[in-house]
Amino acid sequence: MTITITAFERSPDGGKGLARDTRVRWALEEVGQPYEVRLVSFGAMKEPAHLALHPFGQIPTYEEGDLALFETGAIVFHLAERHAGLLPDDAKGRARAITWMFAALNTVEPPIVELGFARLFERDKPWHAERFPVLEDRVRGRLKPLSVRLGAADWLDGAFSAGDLLMVSVLLRAKSSGILDEFPNLAAYLARGEARPAYQRAFAAQLAVNTGKPPSG
Ligand SMILES: N[C@@H](CCC(=O)N[C@@H](CS)C(=O)NCC(=O)O)C(=O)O
């Protein structure tokens, strides 16, 4: 059955891979599922046809036959449940990997997103200079315990899992802040994630959309 996802017609990041379709592409690449992409404009995302798929008018969405999903966590979980490669076989290991998926999206991503919004949209506000370091510290408040837990391990809980896929995707959004460099093991973790062939293919595919050039290699 054909899988179709949606992505920005033109991503605000110009193809740095920060738009959330990249994590869905990455999951699809990890489990070896081909997919098609329907590109949507900011305007089209708020039209009834797209709102029927995504009530909040965002990307990405995921369609597979008569199944339509939104929320990257739900989409990655759906793929991880149906295909080998993103969740361990044993029940306890699966439960722990799923815990890391939630931790990435519920605990680590929110302060990173807040910091990004502040950098992009609040620079001209009179309170920006006072608020920004507070937001940076909130990010540190999440990265420090994550760094402690990861320690010298390659991945969060044994083999690479959907928990790592989402955590790396979330950390990527903090890369440009420079805060990750304060935690060398997290910077190395991120680099390990980015080095995965499946991530490379996902990144190249979204970049091609934004540059108009087909993926090389
Ligand atoms: N929690 C959602 C967040 C989706 C989201 O924020 N998508 C962004 C692109 S990365 C978007 O569509 N932004 C445009 C908008 O909100 O109008 C998920 O993980 O899927």
Side-chain angles (χ1 to χ4, degrees):
M1 205 167 295
T2 306
I3 293 171
T4 304
I5 67 167
T6 50
F8 283 130
E9 192 176 67
R10 186 147 312 165
S11 178
D13 74 356
K16 292 196 178 77
L18 302 182
R20 289 176 178 81
D21 58 290
T22 304
R23 55 183 78 164
V24 171
R25 293 174 186 269
W26 184 9
L28 284 159
E29 293 287 354
E30 289 283 353
V31 300
Q33 288 298 301
Y35 63 98
E36 293 180 357
V37 183
R38 193 169 60 250
L39 301 176
V40 287
S41 66
F42 271 92
M45 282 161 58
K46 311 300 175 196
E47 295 290 333
H50 189 76
L51 289 172
L53 294 171
H54 197 311
F56 304 106
Q58 297 182 312
I59 61 97
T61 57
Y62 175 100
E63 291 157 83
E64 183 187 354
D66 61 2
L67 175 69
L69 299 175
F70 61 97
E71 285 296 333
T72 51
I75 298 167
V76 171
F77 184 48
H78 171 75
L79 291 169
E81 275 203 312
R82 274 156 191 77
H83 306 282
L86 285 174
L87 285 175
D89 289 334
D90 71 294
K92 287 182 183 166
R94 278 174 96 82
R96 286 195 303 271
I98 293 164
T99 301
W100 280 116
M101 294 175 69
F102 278 90
L105 300 177
N106 280 0
T107 304
V108 181
E109 185 163 47
I112 290 175
V113 168
E114 273 303 301
L115 185 69
F117 276 0
R119 198 171 37 228
L120 282 175
F121 305 120
E122 296 175 356
R123 275 193 185 283
D124 56 343
K125 305 290 184 212
W127 34 260
H128 178 74
E130 210 173 333
R131 175 168 148 86
F132 201 71
V134 174
L135 296 179
E136 287 183 313
D137 275 347
R138 282 195 196 139
V139 172
R140 286 188 187 94
R142 294 307 187 205
L143 297 194
K144 192 171 178 197
L146 183 66
S147 164
V148 169
R149 172 55 78 100
L150 179 67
D154 278 354
W155 306 114
L156 287 166
D157 194 300
F160 177 83
S161 78
D164 295 297
L165 185 149
L166 288 176
M167 191 64 82
V168 167
S169 300
V170 162
L171 294 181
L172 274 165
R173 298 174 75 91
K175 200 173 173 181
S176 64
S177 74
I179 300 177
L180 268 170
D181 299 330
E182 297 170 23
F183 305 95
N185 68 334
L186 290 186
Y189 172 67
L190 188 63
R192 260 192 303 283
E194 288 181 285
R196 290 180 73 84
Y199 176 82
Q200 294 287 319
R201 289 193 293 274
F203 181 88
Q206 65 76 38
L207 182 63
V209 170
N210 288 286
T211 58
K213 294 184 196 142
S216 56

